Amino acid sequence: DQQVKQNSPSLSVQEGRISILNCDYTNSMFDYFLWYKKYPAEGPTFLISISSIKDKNEDGRFTVFLNKSAKHLSLHIVPSQPGDSAVYFCAASVAFGNEKLTFGTGTRLTIIP
Amino acid sequence: NAGVTQTPKFQVLKTGQSMTLQCAQDMNHNSMYWYRQDPGMGLRLIYYSASEGTTDKGEVPNGYNVSRLNKREFSLRLESAAPSQTSVYFCASSRPGSRRGGHGYTFGSGTRLTVV
C-alpha cells in the first residue's frame, strides 16, 4: 500500500519556465511533508518542507503548496534551471512518535536548455 | 564534516553469500535509518534506530538484520543474499526535532548491491 504517491515518473520542462511536481498521500495522520532532490550516484538531499498548519512555504525559487482536504502537495520551481534536472522525492511523517519518513516513488525532472 | 559515510560503494554477491553494509555519521545524530531504492518503488525503510541501543523494523525488513554499534555507526547485514535484494541502499541520520526543524534526514551516497 503506497501511502505517498507521485503519479508522474518523469517531467520535462524548458529552461526558464515553471516546473510543477505533484504528490498525493492517503494517510490522514501525516502532518509534515518534505521534498528531497537526488542526483545520480548521490544520496537524496533535503530541499524544502511544510507543516500541516501551513498551506504554502517558499524558499527562493522553490515553493511547496499543501492542500490537506485533497491530501495533495506540489513543488513549484520557478524559473527552472538546468541544474534542477534530478529525481525529486516527496516524503511525509506522522505527528507523534519517531522521525520515520515515508517516501514517494519519485519524479525525474529534466530541464531542457 | 563528512556527514554520513557508507561503505562499500559497490558490491557484487553470489546468491547465498553474506555481507555487512557499514554506515557512520559524525553529526552526533540520535536516529539512523536504512532505506533501499528500487525502480518504481521509491525509497523504502528497512530498519531504523531511534537512539543508541534500539532498533526497529521498517516496511521491508525481511532478509536483513541491523546493529547499532554505538551512536555513530549503524550496520546492515544480509545473512543469505537473494537476487531480490539487488538494490541501492542508503543510510541516513537525523537529529531530534529535525522533522520540525525542517532539515529532515542527511543521507549517505549509497551502496549499489547486485546479487547474482
Side-chain angles (χ1 to χ4, degrees):
Chain A
D1 177 31
Q2 193 76 31
Q3 297 186 66
V4 180
K5 301 177 185 180
Q6 295 175 256
N7 291 319
S8 298
S10 62
L11 176 68
S12 294
V13 175
Q14 260 189 317
E15 182 179 358
R17 305 295 291 267
I18 184 170
S19 295
I20 300 176
L21 292 84
N22 294 304
C23 180
D24 298 294
Y25 62 95
T26 57
N27 188 343
S28 58
M29 297 300 292
F30 287 146
D31 82 324
Y32 199 76
F33 305 88
L34 306 91
W35 285 93
Y36 283 80
K37 178 179 182 179
K38 184 184 179 305
Y39 291 120
E42 295 183 10
T45 55
F46 170 77
L47 190 58
I48 193 169
S49 62
I50 188 167
S51 165
S52 60
I53 62 173
K54 297 184 176 181
D55 54 17
K56 177 183 174 182
N57 189 28
E58 274 182 276
D59 185 1
R61 295 185 299 113
F62 303 92
T63 303
V64 56
F65 294 91
L66 175 63
N67 182 335
K68 284 179 291 184
S69 61
K71 294 190 176 67
H72 177 82
L73 65 155
S74 61
L75 174 68
H76 292 209
I77 307 173
V78 55
S80 300
Q81 299 175 353
D84 296 331
S85 294
V87 177
Y88 290 79
F89 292 99
C90 64
S93 68
V94 298
F96 301 105
N98 55 53
E99 308 274 332
K100 286 191 302 180
L101 292 179
T102 301
F103 285 84
T105 51
T107 297
R108 181 177 301 278
L109 175 65
T110 302
I111 304 303
I112 305 164
Chain B
N1 281 342
V4 178
T5 303
Q6 290 183 237
T7 56
K9 293 191 181 302
F10 301 94
Q11 184 72 48
V12 179
L13 288 179
K14 293 182 179 179
T15 298
Q17 285 186 317
S18 62
M19 80 161 294
T20 300
L21 281 64
Q22 306 286 353
C23 175
Q25 53 93 7
D26 62 1
M27 296 170 287
N28 202 35
H29 285 173
N30 284 356
S31 300
M32 297 185 74
Y33 314 83
W34 276 104
Y35 281 85
R36 58 179 289 175
Q37 183 194 4
D38 302 292
M41 303 294 288
L43 291 158
R44 293 181 294 169
L45 181 64
I46 304 171
Y47 269 94
Y48 66 99
S49 171
S51 60
E52 186 178 353
T54 67
T55 61
D56 285 288
K57 295 178 180 179
E59 181 185 356
V60 287
N62 291 346
Y64 305 95
N65 285 303
V66 290
S67 295
R68 183 73 183 267
L69 305 171
N70 47 55
K71 192 171 186 178
R72 290 187 64 248
E73 298 172 288
F74 189 37
S75 63
L76 178 71
R77 183 161 178 83
L78 286 70
E79 291 291 351
S80 178
S84 61
Q85 294 178 304
T86 294
S87 186
V88 181
Y89 291 85
F90 289 100
C91 177
S93 68
S94 67
R95 59 178 172 80
S98 63
R99 188 174 64 93
R100 295 294 182 190
H103 296 97
Y105 295 177
T106 300
F107 281 88
S109 58
T111 295
R112 185 174 293 275
L113 175 67
T114 302
V115 183
V116 297

